[in-house]
Amino acid sequence: MTLTSRLARRADLPTLLPLIAAAIAELQKGFLDDAQIESSRSIMGIDTQLIDDGTYFVVELDGQIVGCGGWSRRATLYGGDHSQGRDPALLDPARNPAKVRAMYTDPRFARRGVGRLILSLCEAAAAAEGFGALELMATLSGRPLYEVAGFVPIEQVEDPAGGTPVRLVRMRKPISAPVAHK
């Protein structure tokens, strides 16, 4: 299985939206109850600002999109286009961590390296822009992946935006600057 990646385009949205919906519905089972999964739709989803910024990736297998995710140089920590409380302010790489955002894997391809590939792409791109750390808001289902990738929990929160509180974990990871090749 050879995964490839590229930057997402707005033309990918008709493929990404059902993939994201399936990931929310299926991959949170066992971590959240049905009411929490439904509620999480208000705080999860695509953030097209990431596509427009050129910081959102798709992962493909044989030309089929099997996952997506990205990073941001903006202040918004999580949420889709429809979520409340978004902040488009640009971050200062010398003081702020870049944000890992909107990671989703087609449930048929879970635990096959899709998430790890996206995280490596995010880390390399953020480091290339001078960021020294990454931060994300993890779902309970995503937390194991992020911990294996070196993220450390720094805060547990509940987001009640969808009517039923959904537990989330803010996590952070230091990154090193890219190595210059001679």
Side-chain angles (χ1 to χ4, degrees), residues 30-165:
F31 294 92
L32 300 178
D33 64 31
D34 291 344
Q36 291 170 314
I37 291 171
E38 188 56 37
S39 186
S40 71
R41 294 178 191 283
S42 69
I43 58 173
M44 297 174 73
I46 191 80
D47 182 345
T48 52
Q49 183 68 60
L50 301 175
I51 295 172
D52 295 344
D53 286 347
T55 60
Y56 202 66
F57 303 99
V58 295
V59 173
E60 297 176 319
L61 178 63
D62 298 328
Q64 175 186 355
I65 295 176
V66 297
C68 55
W71 71 281
S72 183
R73 58 181 75 87
R74 297 181 184 276
T76 298
L77 180 56
Y78 68 101
D81 286 346
H82 60 283
S83 301
Q84 299 295 317
R86 296 159 45 88
D87 183 353
L90 291 173
L91 299 169
D92 177 354
R95 295 180 327 161
N96 306 115
K99 311 303 184 197
V100 173
R101 303 278 318 282
M103 290 192 44
Y104 301 98
T105 299
D106 182 320
R108 298 171 297 171
F109 298 93
R111 293 164 199 73
R112 296 191 191 177
V114 174
R116 286 180 189 239
L117 175 56
I118 293 168
L119 288 173
S120 70
L121 295 167
C122 293
E123 185 169 341
E129 288 198 20
F131 284 93
L134 293 173
E135 184 176 71
L136 56 82
M137 188 64 86
T139 60
L140 297 183
S141 61
R143 182 178 177 169
L145 166 66
Y146 303 132
E147 286 179 333
V148 167
F151 285 83
V152 176
I154 58 172
E155 176 186 22
Q156 295 194 33
V157 300
E158 284 191 346
D159 191 318
T164 300

Side-chain angles (χ1 to χ4, degrees), residues 163-174:
T164 300
V166 176
R167 291 185 313 156
L168 301 166
V169 182
R170 182 188 297 252
M171 302 180 82
R172 191 171 286 167
K173 175 186 181 179

